[in-house]
Amino acid sequence: SQQGEEDPQALSIQEGENATMNCSYKTSINNLQWYRQNSGRGLVHLILIRSNEREKHSGRLRVTLDTSKKSSSLLITASRAADTASYFCATDSQGAQKLVFGQGTRLTINP
Amino acid sequence: NAGVTQTPKFQVLKTGQSMTLQCAQDMNHEYMSWYRQDPGMGLRLIHYSVGAGITDQGEVPNGYNVSRSTTEDFPLRLLSAAPSQTSVYFCASSYGNRGGQYTQYFGPGTRLTVL
């Protein structure tokens, strides 16, 4: 079963615009992570936010977490062509060793 | 460090054949996992290990076996390949709960086709 559900499934924007993608989950978590996957590659960790945090920044990335709504969002500011990828959220509701991934948001940045 | 390595990168099998997907990491990580990724879907956990000699089932374990005799290696065995096992397989490792380091490091994947 998929714990995280990303929205939208696909997003296409112009270079320089901001991209926002959302993740909802069903059961309580200790932390939530976001990963990026370039076409044909493995996943790369972007950022982790703990359940007692509401917002976290890393470069052009901003992640928010609302545990009352069981949702998280990933904002990429000033998008670049190199940001074109699929983005996945992952939760540890079943334990740190059993991450559960959502289906992902496919982001396309148009030059 | 090489990180997480997987071999082979591509494999074609016939129904009923068996094979082993290799995974190795050189980061002294405790946790290792195998996932499969089907088109348009996220990753689903097949099996995982929290240390040498310790393995457990994930969400979709049927048709797969694992063992973990060393910290570095975590091979995935397909016992009798079926077309439903056509997928991309990813191996991942992490420090686990040590110091709250939950980040998983992924290998490049093995693309498997079963005819």
Side-chain angles (χ1 to χ4, degrees), chain A residues 1-100:
Chain A
S1 62
Q2 298 287 339
Q3 164 77 325
E5 297 288 339
E6 280 97 342
D7 172 59
Q9 291 188 0
L11 178 62
S12 180
I13 61 173
Q14 296 299 120
E15 194 167 19
E17 294 180 339
N18 295 342
T20 299
M21 53 206 86
N22 304 294
C23 168
S24 60
Y25 57 92
K26 297 175 182 175
T27 58
S28 62
I29 61 173
N30 293 308
N31 63 70
L32 183 145
Q33 303 179 51
W34 285 90
Y35 287 79
R36 183 187 74 227
Q37 183 181 34
N38 290 91
S39 181
R41 302 289 187 91
L43 278 69
V44 174
H45 179 261
L46 295 176
I47 195 165
L48 178 151
I49 186 165
R50 301 184 190 278
S51 59
N52 61 354
E53 298 175 314
R54 291 297 168 258
E55 188 171 309
K56 201 164 183 180
H57 296 254
S58 177
R60 294 183 296 112
L61 305 180
R62 187 186 81 155
V63 169
T64 61
L65 179 65
D66 187 335
T67 53
S68 66
K69 296 181 179 179
K70 292 186 171 59
S71 66
S72 173
S73 67
L74 171 66
L75 168 68
I76 304 174
T77 60
S79 63
R80 306 167 181 171
D83 295 328
T84 293
S86 291
Y87 292 82
F88 296 89
C89 67
T91 59
D92 68 341
S93 59
Q94 299 181 21
Q97 70 278 22
K98 298 177 70 173
L99 287 187
V100 180

Side-chain angles (χ1 to χ4, degrees), chain B residues 39-62:
Chain B
M41 297 185 68
L43 279 71
R44 291 184 294 170
L45 183 64
I46 304 171
H47 285 285
Y48 66 96
S49 170
V50 298
I54 306 169
T55 63
D56 205 346
Q57 297 180 351
E59 180 186 356
V60 288
N62 292 341

Side-chain angles (χ1 to χ4, degrees), chain B residues 11-87:
Chain B
Q11 184 69 51
V12 178
L13 293 177
K14 294 181 179 179
T15 297
Q17 288 184 318
S18 62
M19 79 159 296
T20 299
L21 280 61
Q22 301 292 344
C23 175
Q25 54 91 9
D26 61 359
M27 296 173 282
N28 199 30
H29 284 170
E30 291 180 76
Y31 289 7
M32 296 188 75
S33 304
W34 276 102
Y35 296 88
R36 60 177 289 174
Q37 184 178 33
D38 299 300
M41 297 185 68
L43 279 71
R44 291 184 294 170
L45 183 64
I46 304 171
H47 285 285
Y48 66 96
S49 170
V50 298
I54 306 169
T55 63
D56 205 346
Q57 297 180 351
E59 180 186 356
V60 288
N62 292 341
Y64 308 95
N65 272 358
V66 293
S67 60
R68 184 118 179 253
S69 57
T70 67
T71 300
E72 295 79 18
D73 301 299
F74 191 42
L76 177 72
R77 298 181 187 84
L78 278 70
L79 308 174
S80 178
S84 61
Q85 293 179 304
T86 294
S87 188

